[in-house]
Amino acid sequence: MTVNDDINKRSRTVRQNGDPCIRIENLTKSFGGLEAVKAVSLNIAQGEHRAILGPNGAGKTTFFNLVAGDLLPTQGNIYFYGEDITRLPCHRRAYRGIARTFQITNLFFNLPVIENMALAVQALEKTKFSLFRSINAYPHLHEKGMELLEQVGLQDVKDEVISNLSYGMQRQIEILMALTREPKLLLLDEPTAGLSPAEAIIMVEMLKKLPSAITMMIIEHDMDVAFELAESITVLHYGKVIAEGSNEEIKANEKVQEIYLGVK
């Protein structure tokens, strides 16, 4: 059974309880007198790809940090398959199946690709506490990492040191490392940030190859990329939801055109 098959099987099981993948109610985050996120509520279904759009300062990254557990909300609740995870730290959310990437790559630059993959696999295993054994003592870690590299056609770079790779390929490796945890929810923070147009196309094609059962929440500054990857959009402005709907509904929304695109 491949990693994709295993993720899809587990996702079919959790879908039976009838809860959305993630339900967010009145989520608010204040920093002193500034409300960065204001009473945001949304539901994201199992397997849905949802883009979170908005201009700079809209509260997108703060919102992501709240969902991932890097920040705690001032008020409101987050439910993951019906479980209240509002106060759970990020590592507890990771164990439940939430993974995220960042705008800046978070890799071990002096290690080969396969070692990065193996370390990512090990992160949620008890073997990470084995301080006196080399990671090479656990061949299954490398095997699982290789499986993911092969699924997206990157097996040929397995022995390349991360620092020798292009930035676009580093971004791809970071997303694959997040997938080693077999997440139910993948939070992608600006996956094409800093990429050339050609690299962005490759990234989009790779993301389309990921298991269909993985729910994705995507912050993306490039609206073309967002429309390509997501089937539904939530638009934030000054921390509030100003629009939500399908790609076509968002494209036709006059308020979005005025606020996000500068169209009057």
Side-chain angles (χ1 to χ4, degrees):
M1 178 180 289
T2 68
V3 173
N4 284 12
D5 291 337
D6 186 53
I7 292 173
N8 287 332
K9 181 179 179 181
R10 291 189 300 107
S11 298
R12 284 193 296 271
T13 300
V14 297
R15 190 186 295 128
Q16 293 173 359
N17 64 16
D19 289 309
C21 173
I22 191 160
R23 184 171 87 253
I24 295 170
E25 297 180 349
N26 284 324
L27 200 62
T28 299
K29 180 63 179 179
S30 298
F31 298 98
L34 171 67
E35 278 191 328
V37 175
K38 303 177 184 179
V40 171
S41 296
L42 57 86
N43 289 340
I44 300 179
Q46 167 66 44
E48 180 181 345
H49 294 176
R50 175 73 64 90
I52 309 296
L53 297 181
N56 290 336
K60 303 185 300 295
T61 297
T62 300
F63 175 71
F64 245 43
N65 288 335
L66 292 169
V67 176
D70 296 306
L71 290 174
L72 293 179
T74 304
Q75 66 181 49
N77 295 90
I78 304 170
Y79 299 91
F80 188 58
Y81 288 108
E83 178 189 4
D84 190 340
I85 62 168
T86 309
R87 298 291 163 182
L88 286 184
C90 54
H91 69 278
R92 295 289 184 188
R93 300 186 197 200
Y95 275 107
R96 282 160 172 77
I98 298 177
R100 76 165 293 180
T101 64
F102 296 85
Q103 291 183 31
I104 301 173
T105 51
N106 192 18
L107 304 168
F108 298 99
F109 287 92
N110 294 324
L111 294 179
V113 168
I114 190 59
E115 296 295 320
N116 273 265
M117 296 295 294
L119 287 167
V121 176
Q122 190 182 41
L124 295 181
E125 290 194 2
K126 291 181 180 179
T127 58
K128 69 181 178 182
F129 298 113
S130 300
L131 302 180
F132 302 105
R133 297 187 69 185
S134 166
I135 194 170
N136 293 322
Y138 306 101
H140 73 283
L141 302 178
H142 290 77
E143 290 169 3
K144 189 169 183 179
M146 272 302 298
E147 185 179 317
L148 278 166
L149 289 171
E150 289 169 356
Q151 286 176 9
V152 296
L154 292 179
Q155 65 272 15
D156 291 342
V157 302
K158 68 181 181 69
D159 295 320
E160 289 287 342
V161 175
I162 291 289
S163 60
N164 293 336
L165 300 178
S166 70
Y167 183 68
M169 193 164 288
Q170 289 176 8
R171 298 286 287 175
Q172 291 181 67
I173 297 300
E174 184 185 26
I175 290 172
L176 288 181
M177 288 174 65
L179 287 179
T180 61
R181 306 169 193 174
E182 299 179 4
K184 302 183 187 80
L185 173 63
L186 180 59
L187 306 174
L188 297 170
D189 192 350
E190 302 255 12
T192 66
L195 303 188
S196 68
E199 289 174 326
I201 290 171
I202 293 171
M203 174 65 77
V204 168
E205 291 306 312
M206 190 197 83
L207 291 173
K208 286 181 175 180
K209 294 177 183 177
L210 300 187
S212 60
I214 296 178
T215 305
M216 289 189 204
M217 191 186 299
I218 307 156
I219 290 179
E220 182 51 65
H221 69 286
D222 187 324
M223 290 192 72
D224 290 334
V225 170
F227 291 139
E228 184 77 14
L229 289 174
E231 65 246 13
S232 55
I233 310 282
T234 296
V235 183
L236 297 180
H237 188 55
Y238 292 126
K240 292 183 178 180
V241 175
I242 63 159
E244 189 170 273
S246 67
N247 293 355
E248 294 306 316
E249 289 171 332
I250 295 301
K251 289 178 183 178
N253 188 293
E254 293 182 0
K255 193 170 185 179
V256 173
Q257 292 175 3
E258 179 182 345
I259 294 175
Y260 191 83
L261 300 177
V263 176
K264 294 186 179 180

